[in-house]
Amino acid sequence: MIASVFNKTRPFNYVIIGTLLLIAFVSYTFSHSIFKGWQGFLYGTMYFVSIVASCFLVNFISLKNTLTRNDNYAILLFFIFLLFFPSIFKNKNILISNFFLLLSLRRLISLKSMKSTQEKFFDASFWIFLSALFHFWSALYIGLVFISIILHGSRDYKNWLIPVIAFLSVIILFFMFNFMNDNTLLESLLNKAYISFDFTYFENIYQNIALAVFSSIAILFFVSMIMTINATPLNMQSSYKKILFSFLLGVGIYILSADKNNSCLIFCLAPLSIMGANFIENLENKILKEVTLYSLLVIGLFFFIMQL
């Protein structure tokens, strides 16, 4: 049932995802008393809008660039993976940082058209460095820009200078706002600019188990894409390689992040959702598709409920 509903892009599918997201978000925030009063309501609305925007941006990237077929599996999987780590719902900096990285990924994936390449390199770099102001180690994503330059324009030396120009642009804007805020922004950024390998942050056993199950699923989807990438059209292989690298960089951000928690895994969710959508599309047995999606949804709901 669920596979047949999301096997095509339908407006009703977006209504389903939006409604389920709202229920999950309200349930978690009320359960943890995160937002209180009118000011809390406004902040909560902002958080929710950023989550919805991220979901639909993942859907746009996958469909616009034909990374998936004409279906909504990617947005469905992104929602399910959010259920694994509901602490994402309360982390403003993580949400904003990830949204900027998705804007960057959108520009880098669209490079396959070979149109306005330098503008896309700049936009992607700019969004990444802007993202780093909210979560410092998301700057690691700049590696994807250089990978894209290697794939699409390594012979033009100007392309290699574009990330530097984008970095200087963000630095200028940052120090302007930092000066207006009495250097508080710089102090806040420097406090997050360190590496932590402390993985003992789990507040309960379900966060630990959710990470273990998520890791197993991620390995399955990642290996599956590696095994099938050579069977894809040549003009699409560079895009899928960028998805693979973006996932690895997302893992790297999680590993290096200060104040580590499961919400840092949000940087892995978009590429993993696209890889998972491809995995499900390649399943020829319809019953197996249904069982796979139902299993993932039930597991996601289980972890979400246990972390309320």
Side-chain angles (χ1 to χ4, degrees):
M1 178 67 176
I2 189 171
S4 59
V5 170
F6 285 88
N7 69 343
K8 291 185 179 179
T9 54
R10 301 182 179 92
F12 182 63
N13 292 347
Y14 303 127
V15 175
I16 293 174
I17 294 297
T19 302
L20 292 176
L21 266 176
L22 180 61
I23 294 172
F25 181 80
V26 171
S27 299
Y28 186 80
T29 53
F30 268 84
S31 174
H32 291 258
S33 302
I34 298 172
F35 305 113
K36 298 179 180 179
W38 282 106
Q39 186 176 15
F41 175 79
L42 292 176
Y43 277 114
T45 301
M46 181 185 71
Y47 286 25
F48 180 70
V49 169
S50 66
I51 295 169
V52 172
S54 297
C55 281
F56 284 93
L57 193 50
V58 170
N59 187 71
F60 176 84
I61 292 170
S62 63
L63 293 178
K64 181 71 174 179
N65 299 285
T66 60
L67 293 171
T68 58
R69 299 169 193 169
N70 190 30
D71 55 56
N72 290 132
Y73 290 145
I75 190 174
L76 174 62
L77 289 174
F78 189 80
F79 164 71
I80 291 173
F81 291 142
L82 285 174
L83 297 179
F84 276 66
F85 313 115
S87 58
I88 290 171
F89 293 152
K90 63 180 180 181
N91 198 323
K92 175 189 68 175
N93 289 338
I94 287 286
L95 289 171
I96 296 174
S97 180
N98 181 68
F99 180 72
F100 287 150
L101 290 189
L102 288 177
L103 291 175
S104 171
L105 182 62
R106 181 184 73 89
R107 297 297 276 171
L108 292 175
I109 295 296
S110 67
L111 281 166
K112 70 173 184 176
S113 67
M114 296 306 292
K115 296 179 180 178
S116 307
T117 55
Q118 293 187 345
E119 288 85 348
K120 290 176 181 177
F121 286 138
F122 177 83
D123 290 347
S125 302
F126 183 85
W127 289 124
I128 290 168
F129 290 124
L130 196 60
S131 169
L133 299 182
F134 293 90
H135 188 80
F136 180 79
W137 286 109
S138 62
L140 193 65
Y141 220 75
I142 197 65
L144 192 60
V145 174
F146 290 110
I147 290 169
S148 299
I149 292 173
I150 293 171
L151 292 172
H152 298 286
S154 60
R155 295 182 180 180
D156 190 344
Y157 75 93
K158 294 179 183 178
N159 292 337
W160 296 96
L161 298 176
I162 290 174
V164 178
I165 297 172
F167 174 73
L168 293 175
S169 301
V170 173
I171 285 294
I172 291 171
L173 291 173
F174 172 76
F175 278 104
M176 286 176 57
F177 282 99
N178 181 63
F179 177 77
M180 294 168 59
N181 287 274
D182 299 323
N183 293 324
T184 55
L185 296 180
L186 179 60
E187 182 180 354
S188 176
L189 182 64
L190 292 176
N191 287 336
K192 301 172 184 176
Y194 67 90
I195 297 174
S196 171
F197 295 113
D198 181 10
F199 293 92
T200 60
Y201 59 82
F202 302 106
E203 298 174 2
N204 56 66
I205 191 172
Y206 297 105
Q207 291 183 355
N208 197 336
I209 299 174
L211 176 59
V213 174
F214 175 81
S215 299
S216 301
I217 295 170
I219 292 172
L220 173 63
F221 290 166
F222 184 80
V223 172
S224 174
M225 175 157 282
I226 290 178
M227 297 294 289
T228 59
I229 194 170
N230 289 332
T232 59
L234 288 175
N235 65 327
M236 290 298 301
Q237 289 186 15
S238 63
S239 296
Y240 286 121
K241 288 176 182 177
K242 280 179 261 186
I243 293 298
L244 290 170
F245 279 116
S246 66
F247 172 76
L248 293 175
L249 289 170
V251 174
I253 294 170
Y254 163 73
I255 292 173
L256 296 178
S257 290
D259 298 326
K260 201 183 309 298
N261 56 74
N262 279 353
S263 64
C264 295
L265 288 162
I266 192 175
F267 301 109
C268 306
L269 300 192
L272 187 62
S273 299
I274 293 171
M275 289 189 286
N278 278 269
F279 175 84
I280 292 169
E281 289 170 353
N282 291 331
L283 295 176
E284 296 181 2
N285 190 309
K286 293 183 179 180
I287 296 177
L288 188 56
K289 283 185 180 182
E290 295 285 356
V291 170
T292 302
L293 284 173
Y294 271 113
S295 298
L296 289 173
L297 181 58
V298 169
I299 294 170
L301 287 171
F302 171 77
F303 287 126
F304 176 79
I305 293 171
M306 298 311 295
Q307 293 178 68
L308 285 178

